[in-house]
């Protein structure tokens, strides 16, 4: 009845005029419902009417979530406004141990810089869980204030970075709108991608301007995965065979084979019958030991295909953790004779990209032969932080690495630190002997994540995703002919 009265009260109004009146009334009701200005708002973003000629201003505030301002992002983890971060603080206090040298070791040191190496192997105080939060970084780092003060000099080396991690995590839970997570679509082939650095890449790919370091860190945390692959395989790659370019002669051979497929010559194809041309198969990128990278939004991985406008890709995530915490999104299918390994196929990501996921170890799939044959012009392996030489995970790769070398296709590997990469490289050389060709020397990745991450099991262990990158391949032997006299 009320709607009829409203309509009847404007008998001479046109449809557009009536719509404007209604929108004006809705906006006034929304304004009156905002009881907590600046901190809380209604469920849906509302748009307020602006004077003629001006765009409306969206208010991206969500009810029940405190909107943290950029100058109010630092909070101790245990007193955080975000319940997610408070639960994380509780997890750290239940599992992380105090790094003070008076306690004896709880594990073997993993690197020369590991603070666990300062502790005695057996003598000393028993291990104690962290309970005290540093007032400067807000993260639980010591069992008591006394041990924190005594070991403050060692903690000071990472305190500023831990505070940065604290603020970045609160920024993600601040409730603000993230324009840095809006990605551009395809661009003209004539608009070349500049891969000198993150700044030149984002500018040449026409990303929205990012004017502060925190937003840049958040953006690169996701983009580092596809851009790391693209920066090695692209014809405008910053890695080359010049002095300091880190690419070896064998690496140039392998990468050039892939570039031949990724940057094909123009074939004169078109939309009519005369323009029909045969299309090459997609380039297969096998991402082994997939974890967090397999759950990235698919818009992030589409950025890889935008770097190669005339090529198609098939991303294949393989690993027992490749579908962790994604049961609600993609329930694992039953293993049937038609789908013996329960593969999940996403074939409508884009016209250039297809994604498949196998919750299985690679060596099992390799022995089954479902990916054979391999072609150095169309195939590539990618290992993100595999931990090849880590004592806790090296046994899982012992059977896989020889199989990768059999394929004779490039294997790209990233690492958290220089020490992590060198340990992986040494393990590969010790495991397979001289049956490996180095394609790219280990070194810092130009497209590493600019955001630092915290290990909740050890707050002293900080790292950034894909800090370094290197590559290898199964050794190729040149055929020589001995002249018969």
């Amino acid at each position: 009845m009320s709607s009829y009265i409203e309509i009847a009260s404007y008998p001479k109004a046109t449809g557009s005029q009536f719509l404007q009146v209604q929108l004006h009334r809705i906006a006034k009701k929304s304004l009156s419902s905002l009881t907590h200005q600046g901190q809380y708002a209604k469920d849906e973003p509302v748009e307020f009417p602006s004077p003629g000629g001006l765009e409306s201003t969206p208010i991206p505030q969500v009810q029940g979530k405190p909107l943290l301002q950029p100058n109010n992002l630092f909070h101790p983890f245990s007193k955080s406004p975000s319940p997610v971060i408070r639960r994380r603080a509780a997890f750290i206090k239940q599992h992380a141990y105090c790094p003070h040298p008076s306690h004896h070791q709880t594990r073997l040191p993993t690197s020369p810089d590991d603070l666990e190496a300062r502790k005695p192997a057996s003598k000393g105080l028993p291990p104690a869980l962290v309970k005290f939060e540093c007032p400067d970084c807000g993260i639980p780092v010591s069992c008591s204030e006394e041990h924190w003060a005594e070991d403050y000099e060692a903690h000071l080396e990472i305190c500023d970075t831990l505070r940065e991690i604290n603020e970045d995590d609160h920024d993600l839970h601040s409730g603000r709108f993230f324009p840095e997570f809006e990605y551009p679509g395809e661009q003209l082939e004539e608009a070349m991608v500049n891969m000198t650095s993150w700044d030149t890449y984002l500018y040449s790919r026409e990303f929205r301007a990012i004017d502060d370091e925190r937003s840049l860190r958040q953006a690169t945390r996701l983009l580092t995965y596809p851009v790391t692959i693209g920066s090695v395989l692209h014809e405008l790659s910053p890695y080359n065979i010049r002095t300091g370019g880190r690419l070896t002669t064998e690496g140039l051979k392998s990468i050039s084979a892939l570039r031949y497929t990724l940057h094909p010559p123009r074939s004169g194809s078109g939309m009519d019958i005369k323009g029909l041309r045969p299309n090459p198969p997609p380039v297969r990128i096998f991402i082994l030991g997939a974890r967090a990278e397999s759950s990235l939004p698919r818009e992030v991985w589409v950025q890889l295909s935008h770097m190669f406008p005339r090529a198609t890709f098939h991303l294949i995530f393989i690993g027992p953790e490749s579908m962790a915490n994604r049961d609600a999104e993609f329930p694992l299918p039953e293993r049937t004779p038609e789908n013996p390994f329960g593969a999940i196929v996403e074939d409508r990501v884009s016209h250039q990209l297809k994604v498949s996921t196998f919750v299985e170890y690679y060596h099992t799939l390799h022995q089954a032969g479902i990916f054979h044959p391999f072609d150095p012009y169309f195939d590539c392996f990618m290992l993100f932080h595999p931990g090849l030489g880590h004592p806790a995970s090296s046994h899982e790769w012992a059977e896989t690495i020889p199989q990768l070398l059999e394929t004779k296709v490039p294997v790209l590997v990233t690492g958290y630190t220089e020490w992590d990469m060198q340990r992986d490289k040494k393990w590969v050389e010790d495991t397979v002997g001289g049956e490996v060709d180095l394609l790219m020397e280990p070194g810092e990745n130009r497209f590493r994540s600019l955001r630092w991450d915290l290990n909740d099991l050890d707050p002293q262990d900080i790292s950034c995703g894909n800090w370094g990158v290197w590559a290898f391949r199964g050794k190729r032997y040149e055929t020589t002919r001995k002249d018969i006299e």
Side-chain angles (χ1 to χ4, degrees), residues 18 29 75 84 126 151 173 245 280 288 294 301 353 370 428 483:
F18 173 71
K29 291 180 181 179
H75 299 272
V84 175
D151 204 30
H173 296 86
L288 308 189
S294 64
W301 284 110
L353 182 65
I370 63 174
V428 170
D483 295 332

Side-chain angles (χ1 to χ4, degrees), residues 3-272:
S3 61
Y4 172 77
I5 294 175
E6 290 177 354
I7 296 175
S9 62
Y10 296 94
K12 297 182 180 180
T14 63
S16 60
Q17 291 174 336
F18 173 71
L19 181 60
Q20 291 177 359
V21 172
Q22 291 298 93
L23 290 177
H24 182 68
R25 289 187 173 186
I26 293 173
K28 290 179 63 177
K29 291 180 181 179
S30 300
L31 280 171
S32 63
S33 65
L34 293 175
T35 56
H36 300 282
Q37 296 293 333
Q39 290 296 320
Y40 298 90
K42 283 298 179 182
D43 294 334
E44 295 293 335
V46 298
E47 295 192 356
F48 298 94
S50 302
L54 298 179
E55 295 181 354
S56 58
T57 303
I59 307 298
Q61 299 177 343
V62 183
Q63 183 179 11
K65 282 189 177 181
L67 294 182
L68 302 178
Q69 302 300 322
N71 59 353
N72 187 32
L73 292 177
F74 174 74
H75 299 272
F77 266 27
S78 61
K79 300 178 181 179
S80 170
S82 170
V84 175
I85 296 181
R86 292 199 299 271
R87 287 194 296 268
R88 187 179 182 187
F91 180 89
I92 294 175
K93 292 181 178 181
Q94 293 172 0
H95 296 86
Y97 289 96
C98 178
H100 195 277
S102 63
H103 300 283
H104 66 72
Q105 291 182 354
T106 58
R107 55 176 174 80
L108 293 176
T110 58
S111 70
D113 298 327
D114 192 346
L115 295 182
E116 201 73 12
R118 306 180 305 166
K119 300 180 180 180
S122 57
K123 299 179 181 180
L125 298 175
L129 296 172
V130 295
K131 299 295 182 182
F132 178 76
E133 289 179 331
C134 171
D136 298 324
C137 64
I139 294 177
V141 292
S142 295
C143 63
S144 64
E145 185 176 359
E146 291 76 17
H147 277 191
W148 169 78
E150 293 175 5
D151 204 30
Y152 183 71
E153 185 175 353
H155 172 69
L156 193 60
E157 296 179 0
I158 61 172
C159 187
D160 290 341
T161 305
L162 290 177
R163 184 184 178 99
E164 182 181 289
I165 294 173
N166 183 320
E167 295 179 354
D168 287 348
D169 284 344
H170 279 97
D171 180 52
L172 284 180
H173 296 86
S174 65
R176 72 174 177 90
F177 177 67
F178 290 88
E180 59 267 35
F181 293 151
E182 292 186 346
Y183 304 116
E186 300 178 8
Q187 68 185 62
L188 296 175
E189 290 189 52
E190 292 76 10
M192 295 295 182
V193 180
N194 189 323
M195 295 189 176
T196 305
S197 64
W198 273 118
D199 291 334
T200 59
Y201 169 77
L202 296 175
Y203 177 77
S204 59
R205 273 289 292 124
E206 299 181 350
F207 277 76
R208 293 186 61 170
I210 300 177
D211 55 1
D212 66 284
E213 294 183 358
R214 178 169 291 113
S215 296
L216 183 61
R217 292 197 296 268
Q218 305 289 23
T220 59
R221 183 65 182 88
L222 303 183
L223 289 172
T224 179
Y225 292 98
V227 180
T228 293
I229 298 176
S231 66
V232 177
L233 302 183
H234 203 276
E235 63 181 358
L236 300 179
S237 169
Y239 310 109
N240 50 62
I241 61 173
R242 299 182 186 132
T243 304
R246 294 171 46 194
L247 201 65
T248 65
T249 304
E250 291 297 323
L252 182 62
K253 295 178 182 178
S254 289
I255 301 302
S256 296
L258 283 168
R259 290 173 182 170
Y260 182 83
T261 305
L262 294 172
H263 301 280
R266 293 185 179 275
S267 60
S269 60
M271 299 299 294
D272 54 0

Side-chain angles (χ1 to χ4, degrees), residues 307-321:
M307 299 168 66
F308 305 90
R310 276 182 280 156
T312 56
F313 289 91
H314 184 188
L315 298 183
I316 305 174
F317 296 104
I318 301 174
E321 301 179 45

